[in-house]
Amino acid sequence: MRMRTFATTAASAAVIALLATACSGGGSGTEDPKPGQTQATSNERSDKVLTVGMPNGEASANQNPIAPGSGSTSFGYAYAIYESLMQVNEVKPTDPPAPWLAEKIEWNADYTQAVITPRAGVTWSDGEPFTAEDIAYSIQIRKDNPELNVDFPDQYGEITTDGSTVTVGFTTGQLVNEVKLYKLLIVPKHIWENEDPVTYTADTMIGTGPFTLKSFTPQAVTLVPNDGYWGDKPLVGELRYDAFKDNAGLTTALTSGDAQWGWTFIPDFENTFIAQDPEHFHQVAGGGFGVDVLYLNNEEKPFDDVAFRKALNMVVDRADISATAGYGVWPQITSVTGLPEPSGDAFISDEFAGQELSVDVDGAKQVLTEAGYTWDGDALVDPDGEKVSFTLTNPQGWTDYLDALSIIAEGAKSLGADATVEPVVQDTWFNQIINLGDFQASLHWTDGGSTPWNLYSNIMDGASYVKRGEPANWNFGRYKNDEVTQALATFKSSADEGERMAALATVQKRFVEDVPGLIIWSRPAVAQYSTVNYTGFPTAEDPYANPQPTGPQAALILTRLKPTA
């Protein structure tokens, strides 16, 4: 059986170099410093605290690292305690992954089977050895519990071990989803097998990562170094994760130095944040396929009518949204296919090459007129004789989203539609509004990945369709088209490049013509950090990882940080 292996000698050497050096941290001080990393560093563990902040409100008392909505993943501290199989650089999505808890992962030709070789010499933080059984168990509980299986719903096949390796079967090809396997967090079988993995809150948090849990409150979580860690021992003396209720609260903490690492939207970040301490304060952003989408409820007025969806798409001023709501941090989407530049350029089908989005109010009104819409004065009236109105919903405090919604509402009003922006409580949005389909229009992100498949699947895939009122993992707008579902399945599973690109062209055609949602801007990975106490974070010059603290890459970053001398 022909296998594709992601642990070449070069890759192994690269990750060893990552662990053994701090090339983004200014080295030993004898080399020329890089921008953003000018401080000399120390190889001794510091007693200074590194405070991480997220604008997600208080953490729920749930430490379960694989349960959706867990406080430990929302805050980010789960990723310093539990680790993934491989390290994936989401900033450079076409780069091969680097070995982490897995020394290598080999795929068969059609990506329906992966053979995982665990890293030797790893122990859990309670001293028990890490084995292939832990990996197999961590994947099996996802297969057995749909609530935990966000990444591969109904797609796992047989999961077996032979003592030294784990073989994971899939019911369909996973070429586009391989990184999701690499990013799965692994939990200890010897503890979890005695618990219900869905309801288990994992209060003791036994992991393989560079840190362990010291204390928890909903407002603040404290971690300390794991002295038995298998990799380079962390030099950060203590990690603290603080709760902030919104973007403004975290921005204040970052600019005052009360938080030194996090990610939030900061309007006019150069003046608001960096200018407060240009030597130490930094913001870094990377590329990828992630975008933000205005999900439209395709099963409720006015968005159950493709004509209105098309018309709204034609009056949204994305340039204004990027410049005004995004302050240029979130780049404008220009292609009618919704693909971000430059990652998506090679994937645009010939039919839509060179076709760009633009504001066309007259053209949008013509689309509506041909579909039977009329006007009562300035008010738009649908073919049923009802005035068109809708609500745009997102969490309060998410200023970039809410400002973007206001500009979208202005576009709708240019058509005569009555559009209002309604901020809501964040927990309500996460747990009731967006996933249950209890909205008319709402901004949400998509996954990245190494191809556009995740972007389109998250918006359009019938495989993710559930009825309103049932929790959806993706396809929040409840779009359903069998042709698109099949094309996405083909792109995902086919090993034939021509067949895959033909399937992608079908998806793009339906995206452009059906407008199931409005891709607004691209969403590069953005983070802010201070080098007052620690240096070695990813930079524009050395984008070795997604710079954010809320992902498996946190374990890699934390092993590269050095105290500022």
Side-chain angles (χ1 to χ4, degrees):
M1 178 171 60
R2 185 170 66 86
M3 311 290 282
R4 183 180 180 193
T5 304
F6 276 124
T8 63
T9 302
S12 299
V15 79
I16 290 170
L18 292 181
L19 295 173
T21 68
C23 61
S24 72
S28 63
T30 60
E31 302 173 353
D32 291 335
K34 297 178 180 180
Q37 302 291 335
T38 58
Q39 296 80 14
T41 58
S42 168
N43 288 315
E44 300 295 326
R45 179 175 291 168
S46 172
D47 60 358
K48 294 180 180 178
V49 176
L50 174 61
T51 300
V52 180
M54 288 297 294
N56 295 339
E58 293 186 352
S60 64
N62 184 355
Q63 323 296 355
N64 188 325
I66 64 175
S70 162
S72 66
T73 54
S74 176
F75 258 37
Y77 59 93
Y79 302 107
I81 296 173
Y82 298 93
E83 296 185 292
S84 59
L85 294 172
M86 307 283 271
Q87 284 290 338
V88 176
N89 189 350
E90 295 173 328
V91 176
K92 303 171 72 175
T94 59
D95 281 4
W100 207 250
L101 283 184
E103 292 184 353
K104 62 181 178 179
I105 297 180
E106 300 173 301
W107 290 90
N108 64 356
D110 61 3
Y111 283 80
T112 58
Q113 187 181 89
V115 179
I116 304 168
T117 301
R119 180 180 293 275
V122 177
T123 59
W124 296 98
S125 56
D126 62 357
E128 291 293 314
F130 164 76
T131 70
E133 292 290 339
D134 294 311
I135 296 176
Y137 173 79
S138 297
I139 298 174
Q140 186 70 47
I141 58 175
R142 289 173 167 97
K143 176 184 177 181
D144 295 342
N145 298 279
E147 307 96 321
L148 305 177
N149 191 9
V150 175
D151 294 312
F152 299 101
D154 301 318
Q155 296 168 53
Y156 283 119
E158 189 176 14
I159 302 164
T160 61
T161 63
D162 68 0
S164 59
T165 62
V166 181
T167 300
V168 182
F170 295 92
T171 57
T172 60
Q174 300 295 334
L175 174 62
V176 299
N177 278 335
E178 54 185 320
V179 297
K180 292 183 179 180
L181 179 66
Y182 305 153
K183 292 165 63 176
L184 290 182
L185 296 183
I186 306 303
V187 298
K189 179 182 178 182
H190 68 280
I191 292 177
W192 282 60
E193 64 184 345
N194 299 316
E195 306 287 346
D196 180 340
V198 177
T199 60
Y200 183 41
T201 57
D203 294 336
T204 54
M205 299 194 77
I206 302 300
T208 60
F211 286 83
T212 61
L213 179 66
K214 177 181 180 181
S215 64
F216 168 85
T217 72
Q219 298 80 30
V221 179
T222 301
L223 274 59
V224 293
N226 175 9
D227 288 330
Y229 184 55
W230 61 269
D232 277 5
K233 302 301 186 288
L235 301 182
V236 175
E238 184 173 288
L239 266 177
R240 180 184 171 99
Y241 292 76
D242 281 354
F244 299 94
K245 67 178 182 178
D246 53 26
N247 290 356
L250 179 52
T251 298
T252 298
L254 287 165
T255 55
S256 67
D258 289 339
Q260 300 92 44
W261 188 18
W263 68 275
T264 187
F265 174 72
I266 302 179
D268 193 16
F269 71 92
E270 291 183 342
N271 291 315
T272 302
F273 173 56
I274 293 176
Q276 306 309 309
D277 187 350
E279 181 182 356
H280 299 107
F281 289 177
H282 308 282
Q283 176 166 299
V284 62
F289 284 101
V291 296
D292 282 340
V293 181
L294 184 70
Y295 280 90
L296 307 174
N297 192 325
N298 283 227
E299 297 183 332
E300 179 179 312
K301 276 191 172 187
F303 299 115
D304 59 350
D305 185 359
V306 66
F308 187 73
R309 299 199 301 266
K310 283 184 177 179
L312 181 63
N313 192 43
M314 294 170 70
V315 296
V316 170
D317 192 339
R318 290 169 172 82
D320 187 20
I321 291 175
S322 177
T324 304
Y327 282 81
V329 175
W330 313 131
Q332 177 188 352
I333 293 290
T334 58
S335 171
V336 295
T337 65
L339 293 180
E341 297 174 323
S343 301
D345 291 349
F347 293 92
I348 296 175
S349 67
D350 292 341
E351 180 177 0
F352 300 113
Q355 294 190 34
E356 295 191 348
L357 295 158
S358 62
V359 176
D360 183 1
V361 176
D362 291 340
K365 288 183 175 180
Q366 182 63 31
V367 168
L368 294 172
T369 299
E370 292 174 357
Y373 287 76
T374 57
W375 282 263
D376 180 3
D378 292 331
L380 180 64
V381 180
D382 70 21
D384 295 330
E386 298 179 356
K387 291 184 178 179
V388 178
S389 64
F390 63 91
T391 301
L392 298 136
T393 307
N394 270 117
Q396 58 194 19
W398 291 16
T399 52
D400 53 340
Y401 270 18
L402 295 175
D403 289 346
L405 294 184
S406 295
I407 296 173
I408 293 168
E410 291 174 6
K413 290 174 182 177
S414 72
L415 298 175
D418 182 16
T420 57
V421 176
E422 181 179 296
V424 295
V425 175
Q426 180 177 257
D427 283 349
T428 303
W429 182 79
F430 270 117
N431 298 314
Q432 175 182 328
I433 292 175
I434 190 67
N435 64 336
L436 298 182
D438 188 18
F439 67 92
Q440 290 178 291
S442 185
L443 276 169
H444 193 287
W445 53 91
T446 65
D447 276 342
S450 57
T451 74
W453 185 87
N454 287 289
L455 180 156
Y456 289 124
S457 176
N458 292 168
I459 302 169
M460 307 172 69
D461 202 339
S464 298
Y465 176 87
V466 295
K467 295 179 180 179
R468 284 191 65 191
E470 297 179 10
N473 291 323
W474 289 111
N475 193 0
F476 302 116
R478 272 66 178 178
Y479 173 84
K480 198 172 185 180
N481 182 299
D482 291 342
E483 180 185 31
V484 171
T485 302
Q486 181 56 54
L488 286 167
T490 298
F491 184 85
K492 174 185 174 185
S493 61
S494 177
D496 183 275
E497 184 68 14
E499 188 176 39
R500 295 175 71 242
M501 293 307 292
L504 184 60
T506 297
V507 173
Q508 288 182 4
K509 185 175 182 65
R510 292 270 57 86
F511 175 82
V512 172
E513 295 184 357
D514 291 356
V515 195
L518 277 58
I519 294 178
I520 300 300
W521 51 29
S522 62
R523 171 66 71 165
V526 175
Q528 298 86 25
Y529 60 85
S530 166
T531 57
V532 169
N533 293 336
Y534 296 98
T535 188
F537 296 94
T539 67
E541 295 74 27
D542 186 12
Y544 66 86
N546 177 330
Q548 297 171 349
T550 50
Q553 71 279 355
L556 169 60
I557 295 171
L558 288 166
T559 59
R560 296 194 62 180
L561 296 185
K562 288 191 173 185
T564 303

